[in-house]
């Protein structure tokens, strides 16, 4: 059974870097692509970016200059680092497994999400 | 403002059938397939439709169905149950400036 569990500091100060981890069980991270999606308070889902098995990343243009997504195959984890955060980055952050071709995508497993609050 | 447009809310009574629309353009739905997700706040989103009309294992075949025509897609839920009350989102690849993955704004289903 594939399970994803996001974790992070909960509270981050403005201008600092938000670091989140997605721990995966039941699926080797090196064999699939992984994505981060967030939901700001009172809003819908927003795609952040994904990382492929090769380590190649694709990011939402809105985040491109601040974002880094990585894989730790030894711990079977996916990471997200978002720098220079503001209150607008306060959200629940989800990780999800992504299956895709150029014409087809499928976010088949999701974590429950972790709340990250940006506040001084 | 989401790239894919969904109605903010729909409602129905138990046993009824409801549909949720997702409107896009040639750069997304018109070219690529659509996912639908069910999300009960505080839980993990659940994939209920992929490839426009395919259901993952465990999704009731007689209750959830998806369709696509041109640049719009629809999710139909039949035999409404109280546990269907959730937020529903569509998603697709996109060739535009917001891409390459775009979500709808979500639709709150009240049963």
């Amino acid at each position: 059974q594939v399970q994803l569990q996001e974790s992070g500091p909960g509270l981050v100060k403005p201008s600092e870097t938000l670091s989140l981890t997605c721990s995966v069980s039941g699926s080797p991270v090196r064999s699939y692509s992984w994505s981060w999606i967030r939901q700001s308070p009172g809003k819908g889902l927003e795609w952040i970016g994904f990382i492929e098995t090769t380590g190649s990343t694709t990011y939402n243009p809105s985040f491109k200059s601040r974002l880094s997504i990585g894989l730790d195959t030894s711990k079977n984890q996916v990471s997200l680092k978002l720098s220079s955060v503001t209150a607008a980055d306060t959200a629940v952050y989800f990780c999800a497994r992504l299956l895709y071709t150029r014409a087809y995508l499928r976010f088949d497993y999701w974590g429950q999400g972790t709340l990250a609050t940006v506040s001084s | 403002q989401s790239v894919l447009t969904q109605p903010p809310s729909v409602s129905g009574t138990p046993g009824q059938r409801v549909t949720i629309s997702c409107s896009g353009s040639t750069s997304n739905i018109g070219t690529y397939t659509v996912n639908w997700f069910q999300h009960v706040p505080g839980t993990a989103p659940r994939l209920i439709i992929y490839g426009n009309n395919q259901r993952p294992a465990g999704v009731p075949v007689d209750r959830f169905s998806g369709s696509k025509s041109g640049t719009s897609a629809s999710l139909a839920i039949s035999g409404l149950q109280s546990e269907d009350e959730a937020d529903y989102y569509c998603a697709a690849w996109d060739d535009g400036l917001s891409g390459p993955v775009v979500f709808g704004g979500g639709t709150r289903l009240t049963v």
Side-chain angles (χ1 to χ4, degrees), chain A residues 19-82:
Chain A
S19 295
L20 301 176
T21 298
C22 175
S23 299
V24 181
S25 59
S27 180
V29 296
R30 71 170 69 85
S31 299
Y32 294 90
S33 297
W34 305 89
S35 190
W36 286 93
I37 299 106
R38 76 180 186 181
Q39 183 177 32
S40 302
K43 297 191 176 180
L45 299 175
E46 178 181 27
W47 175 73
I48 297 172
F50 68 82
I51 185 165
E52 301 176 52
T53 56
T54 59
S56 175
T57 53
T58 301
Y59 298 149
N60 183 326
S62 300
F63 300 97
K64 201 164 189 175
S65 61
R66 303 192 291 135
L67 181 63
S68 176
I69 296 176
L71 288 178
D72 185 336
T73 57
S74 66
K75 296 181 180 178
N76 217 45
Q77 293 177 336
V78 186
S79 65
L80 175 146
K81 293 186 189 301
L82 185 64

Side-chain angles (χ1 to χ4, degrees), chain A residues 37 39 43-45 47 50 58-61 94 100-108 110-112, chain B residues 32-33 35 37 39 43-45 47 50-51 56 89 92-93 95 97-101 103-105:
Chain A
I37 299 106
Q39 183 177 32
K43 297 191 176 180
L45 299 175
W47 175 73
F50 68 82
T58 301
Y59 298 149
N60 183 326
F94 299 95
Y100 71 95
T101 65
R102 191 55 190 101
Y104 157 106
L105 82 168
R106 179 178 172 183
F107 295 99
D108 63 345
W110 293 65
Q112 291 200 323
Chain B
Y32 305 110
T33 62
N35 281 208
F37 304 95
H39 184 216
T43 70
L47 177 68
Y50 66 96
Y89 294 89
W93 286 121
D95 291 330
L97 298 177
S98 301
V101 178
F103 280 85

